[in-house]
Amino acid sequence: MSKRWKIKAVNLFLTLYTRWKGRLKFAQSVSREQDFRHIVIYSTTALGDFLFNSPAIRAVRLRYPTATITLVAHEKFREFLQNGEDWDRVVWWNNKFSSMRTMMKALQEEQGPPDLALLLHSHEPYDYLSAVLAGAQYVIRDNYYDDFDARDRWLADYTIGYVGHIIQRKMALVEPLGCDVSDHDMKLPVKLAEPAPRGILTVGFQMGASKPDRCWAPKHFAEVAAALLQKSDDLRIALIGGPGEKTLVTDFWQHLDEGLRPRITDYVGNTGLIQLTELINEFSVLLTGDTGPLHIAIAAKTPTVSLFVNANPYSTGPFQDRHLHDVIYVARRKSNQHVANAMDLITPDRVIEKVSERLELTALENSHHEVQE
């Protein structure tokens, strides 16, 4: 069944259901002065999506300091999210209809039905269906396409036609609740130690990306690695990524001189999210495409060089601390449509230049820190 037909089926079901259970509150009933006892926040998709949501979640926490806030998140992020300070408890859900009943029961176990369900990034129609069935009187959702009444009639509020960075659109969604939306910095749910300046600089390579067409070729990463390592003996490279990205590492090694391998450490597929975050926190710079580790680095205030062709950095790129982050963005045009892999439009020479400049800045900052000590 297509998503639109699922939405229409859910609309019919909820129409019958609410005839005897009571209608949701209408949009005009949401007040900036209104308090809520139990707030449920859905963020059940990718890691980067959660980090984009984190400023809005913090704003809600500050606006409702005495409310119980329940975060609904995907089980695969349990280690990373379970001890966050901007929510009181976490309910795990895999976005599937088959597990929805269990999730709804868990929502109600300690605080009863939620007063407000805030759907920041989740899969429709099961997100708002579960919120309504769990008893939420107000459902506010970030819609990624507009004007579908079969869905919108069940939402107390949503933005229409919003254009801007994803962090901005999340803040626009919660601002009518009376939230202070001035702090746009992403917030990690784990505590990190302050990285100590070191003589040895480390460049992280994240070769995988959120989608295959956003991956820069391993042979290009290998060319960058060779150039950087040959420039400086006081440099190391760390490869990071998930278990599904091990084939990229194999390709990377095939394009690299064996003599350089001892200065490269392969962590791909061998770290949990907390260890990955701690590694990124220690990097001098992270070279990456548009994917979760980019956003971890930004939240950790680790400098980055990020590569964009098929994604739009004005929507998903660095939004805070812009002085720490270099974005290489090449637009697709008629004249370069012949290139089979659009990411190849970014040349290794350009990346080597940007990473080298960033390393020079880091080295200067470390020297300044040593002089002060």
Side-chain angles (χ1 to χ4, degrees):
M1 183 184 295
S2 71
K3 180 175 287 189
R4 282 186 170 264
W5 278 108
K6 286 180 182 178
I7 291 172
K8 290 178 179 179
V10 165
N11 176 52
L12 177 60
F13 171 79
L14 288 178
T15 299
L16 297 173
Y17 176 81
T18 54
R19 283 180 181 175
W20 61 279
K21 279 290 186 178
R23 182 70 171 85
L24 292 172
K25 302 296 183 183
F26 291 103
Q28 58 265 34
S29 300
V30 180
S31 167
R32 298 177 71 90
E33 291 74 36
Q34 187 166 355
D35 283 323
F36 297 105
R37 175 184 56 86
H38 183 197
I39 300 171
V40 174
I41 299 177
Y42 285 57
S43 182
T44 62
T45 52
L47 174 62
D49 297 334
F50 170 80
L51 291 172
F52 288 146
N53 294 338
S54 63
I57 295 173
R58 176 181 55 230
V60 172
R61 172 80 284 173
L62 293 175
R63 168 63 182 86
Y64 303 102
T66 62
T68 296
I69 295 180
T70 300
L71 177 68
V72 180
H74 200 287
E75 172 71 29
K76 64 185 177 182
F77 301 127
R78 178 183 288 269
E79 175 194 27
F80 192 62
L81 298 177
Q82 60 187 353
N83 295 317
E85 63 183 10
D86 288 333
W87 48 87
D88 301 287
R89 54 195 290 263
V90 187
V91 169
W92 309 105
W93 186 39
N94 62 2
N95 297 303
K96 303 295 185 182
F97 179 79
S98 59
S99 58
M100 193 175 73
R101 182 183 294 273
T102 301
M103 182 272 288
M104 288 162 42
K105 183 179 179 181
L107 281 183
Q108 299 170 322
E109 275 179 354
E110 295 184 17
Q111 297 295 322
D115 306 307
L116 168 68
L118 184 61
L119 315 183
L120 291 181
H121 214 136
S122 49
H123 292 291
E124 61 181 344
Y126 302 139
D127 53 358
Y128 64 86
L129 171 63
S130 63
V132 174
L133 295 181
Q137 287 296 298
Y138 298 85
V139 180
I140 297 175
R141 187 177 192 278
D142 187 10
N143 296 334
Y144 278 81
Y145 62 91
D146 297 326
D147 302 324
F148 195 32
D149 183 65
R151 172 204 60 207
D152 295 345
R153 63 189 298 246
W154 303 107
L155 307 179
D157 206 2
Y158 50 88
T159 56
I160 299 173
Y162 192 88
V163 178
H165 196 280
I166 290 180
I167 290 175
Q168 291 175 298
R169 67 179 293 147
K170 306 301 177 181
M171 296 299 245
L173 193 70
V174 303
E175 185 175 18
L177 296 172
C179 296
D180 179 354
V181 296
S182 59
D183 186 354
H184 290 90
D185 282 8
M186 294 187 292
K187 183 176 181 180
L188 292 166
V190 295
K191 298 293 185 183
L192 296 175
E194 186 71 24
R198 297 175 299 175
I200 300 294
L201 300 178
T202 302
V203 179
F205 281 9
Q206 169 66 46
M207 292 187 287
S210 55
K211 297 180 180 179
D213 67 354
R214 297 180 183 182
C215 291
W216 203 45
K219 66 179 180 180
H220 298 329
F221 276 97
E223 186 173 339
V224 173
L228 296 177
L229 293 172
Q230 289 165 2
K231 278 185 178 182
S232 171
D233 294 332
D234 296 327
L235 182 69
R236 300 293 182 268
I237 290 173
L239 309 180
I240 60 171
E245 297 167 5
K246 287 181 175 291
T247 56
L248 299 177
V249 178
T250 301
D251 195 1
F252 172 83
W253 290 132
Q254 290 175 349
H255 289 89
L256 192 76
D257 187 288
E258 287 192 8
L260 298 175
R261 291 191 178 193
R263 295 166 62 190
I264 301 175
T265 305
D266 176 15
Y267 294 101
V268 175
N270 298 317
T271 61
L273 273 176
I274 291 179
Q275 185 183 1
L276 174 65
T277 303
E278 291 170 343
L279 279 172
I280 291 173
N281 188 47
E282 294 289 334
F283 290 164
S284 307
V285 60
L286 174 66
L287 173 62
T288 177
D290 180 25
T291 190
L294 167 63
H295 310 302
I296 290 177
I298 295 168
K301 300 187 183 300
T302 295
T304 67
V305 175
S306 53
L307 313 177
F308 287 80
V309 177
N310 292 313
N312 183 350
Y314 303 105
S315 176
T316 61
F319 189 67
Q320 66 188 69
D321 303 317
R322 294 300 300 272
H323 64 288
L324 295 177
H325 306 292
D326 297 303
V327 176
I328 299 177
Y329 177 42
V330 176
R332 301 206 66 179
R333 305 186 306 275
K334 180 180 179 180
S335 58
N336 61 34
Q337 282 183 322
H338 65 282
V339 177
N341 181 357
M343 290 296 290
D344 287 341
L345 295 172
I346 299 175
T347 64
D349 286 345
R350 187 172 179 185
V351 175
I352 292 165
E353 179 183 5
K354 282 296 181 183
V355 175
S356 298
E357 290 173 355
R358 182 55 61 181
L359 287 171
E360 289 173 7
L361 288 173
T362 301
L364 286 173
E365 290 172 1
N366 289 350
S367 298
H368 179 67
H369 183 85
E370 290 172 2
V371 169
Q372 286 185 322
E373 289 185 341

